[in-house]
């Protein structure tokens, strides 16, 4: 039996466990959060048709800094919420990408909820 080494390997293992249960449909697509050390982004994906409906990233906000803060993550959440509203998406399934629902991931989710997304 192999053991899972490293922080990112453990995160990928958690994400695979979540993805086994979470599936986006045309009626209720999946809101995916991706975090790196410098950026945060989100996509709303319809897994049944294998299409990305809308996406948003902190790069599009043009803050000019490389480090993501909780405030920046909240703005990305609001941006994805506005774009989802324009695409007539109101309800989603939240996929935290194997990250803990804390800090930047929670701020992004709260920003999306402020703009009217239900999950």
């Amino acid at each position: 039996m192999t053991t899972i080494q490293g922080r990112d390997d453990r995160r990928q293992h958690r994400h695979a466990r979540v993805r086994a249960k979470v599936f986006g449909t045309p009626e209720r697509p999946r809101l995916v959060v991706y975090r790196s050390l410098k950026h945060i982004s989100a996509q709303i994906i319809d897994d049944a048709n294998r299409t990305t409906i809308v996406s948003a990233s902190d790069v599009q906000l043009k803050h000019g800094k490389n480090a993501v803060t909780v405030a920046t993550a909240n703005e990305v959440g609001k941006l994805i919420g506005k774009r989802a509203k324009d695409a007539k998406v109101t309800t989603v399934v939240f996929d935290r990408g194997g990250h803990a629902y804390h800090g930047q991931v929670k701020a992004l989710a709260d920003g999306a909820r402020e703009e009217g997304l239900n999950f």
Side-chain angles (χ1 to χ4, degrees), residues 14-104:
R14 283 191 305 272
H15 191 203
R17 197 169 53 230
V18 170
R19 284 290 293 123
K21 301 170 190 168
V22 176
F23 187 80
T25 63
E27 297 82 29
R28 193 169 177 189
R30 178 170 56 104
L31 172 60
V32 187
V33 176
Y34 175 76
R35 259 188 59 213
S36 71
L37 293 176
K38 293 184 179 182
H39 300 289
I40 189 163
S41 64
Q43 294 180 336
I44 296 181
I45 298 174
D46 176 6
D47 290 318
N49 296 325
R50 296 181 180 172
T51 57
T52 299
I53 300 168
V54 293
S55 65
S57 173
D58 67 316
V59 175
Q60 297 165 345
L61 297 174
K62 298 185 171 115
H63 281 283
K65 52 186 172 178
N66 285 336
V68 179
T69 62
V70 172
T72 306
N74 191 293
E75 290 180 36
V76 171
K78 289 180 182 179
L79 183 61
I80 195 83
K82 287 177 189 172
R83 290 181 179 175
K85 193 183 303 182
D86 293 341
K88 296 184 171 71
V89 174
T90 56
T91 307
V92 295
V93 181
F94 190 68
D95 179 2
R96 58 191 172 87
H99 299 289
Y101 188 79
H102 177 73
Q104 296 168 7

